[in-house]
Amino acid sequence: MSNNIVIEQKYYPRPDDDTLKYKLTALQYNVTQNQERELSFRNLYWDHFDAGIYVDITTGEPLFLSVDKFDSRRGYPSFTKPINNTVVYYEQDNRFNILRTAVFSRCGQAYLGSVFNDGPKDKGGLRYCINSAALLFIPLNEMVEKGYGYLRCLVDTSISNEELFI
């Protein structure tokens, strides 16, 4: 089930390559631009479960919700779904002679990771295995000040849609 909140592309333009090289660490750049992977269990968000959202490190576009994150025991951040179906796109990946489905961010066209069919069955059965280096975590208590207040109701169910605009 996807939410109905629209995430506008125009607010998350893709920086040029020189800007990305300056803004990102070498690991973040190599993961997002060269489809490299970081080490399992040795990345920033694999065991991080605070309330908030995960955004594309290249553009700030919201991608995943903490409420959809789960421990897959694989050493990477794992999610059952993206924040909505429009913020990612997919390509077949045959690197390492293994057929997978690669996941990319819509606005940044950044490589995020892969999606597999071995996720929690009660949540749709998908596991989005995402590189921490492709993400920036925005805690729930910072979402308003960082421009993501309109998404708070998706993370904190005690907030109604009407409260978002007060």
Side-chain angles (χ1 to χ4, degrees):
M1 182 173 163
S2 183
N3 69 68
N4 60 358
I5 290 183
V6 175
I7 297 173
E8 296 283 347
Q9 284 183 267
K10 66 184 176 184
Y11 298 121
Y12 308 102
R14 183 182 191 283
D16 62 47
D17 198 56
D18 288 337
T19 302
L20 288 174
K21 284 180 181 174
Y22 177 77
K23 171 183 167 181
L24 303 176
T25 67
L27 177 63
Q28 291 168 335
Y29 183 86
N30 286 327
V31 166
T32 61
Q33 305 306 300
N34 298 324
Q35 296 187 32
E36 291 186 12
R37 291 188 340 209
E38 60 193 347
L39 296 173
S40 62
F41 300 101
R42 293 189 181 159
N43 58 77
L44 189 59
Y45 301 125
W46 77 271
D47 62 349
H48 183 262
F49 290 95
D50 293 348
I53 60 171
Y54 293 84
V55 303
D56 178 351
I57 193 77
T58 67
T59 65
E61 181 178 27
L63 299 174
F64 298 97
L65 301 170
S66 60
V67 296
D68 297 320
K69 191 170 189 290
F70 68 100
D71 182 3
S72 67
R73 303 188 196 296
R74 301 267 167 58
Y76 293 96
S78 295
F79 303 89
T80 57
K81 63 184 177 183
I83 198 165
N84 72 35
N85 295 329
T86 66
V87 299
V88 296
Y89 68 93
Y90 309 92
E91 291 182 3
Q92 291 304 310
D93 176 5
N94 197 21
R95 291 177 301 143
F96 315 113
N97 294 320
I98 300 169
L99 183 60
R100 307 183 244 218
T101 302
V103 182
F104 295 84
S105 65
R106 170 184 62 180
C107 293
Q109 301 164 7
Y111 173 70
L112 303 173
S114 300
V115 63
F116 301 97
N117 290 316
D118 61 1
K121 299 282 186 242
D122 64 330
K123 304 278 186 182
L126 297 179
R127 173 176 56 95
Y128 284 80
C129 181
I130 306 299
N131 290 285
S132 290
L135 302 172
L136 176 64
F137 177 72
I138 309 296
L140 177 62
N141 65 351
E142 295 178 17
M143 287 174 64
V144 171
E145 72 183 72
K146 293 191 175 176
Y148 300 101
Y150 69 105
L151 300 172
R152 287 183 312 146
C153 67
L154 301 177
V155 177
D156 182 349
T157 56
S158 69
I159 300 171
S160 70
N161 284 337
E162 291 77 34
E163 288 179 89
L164 294 176
F165 303 103
I166 296 175

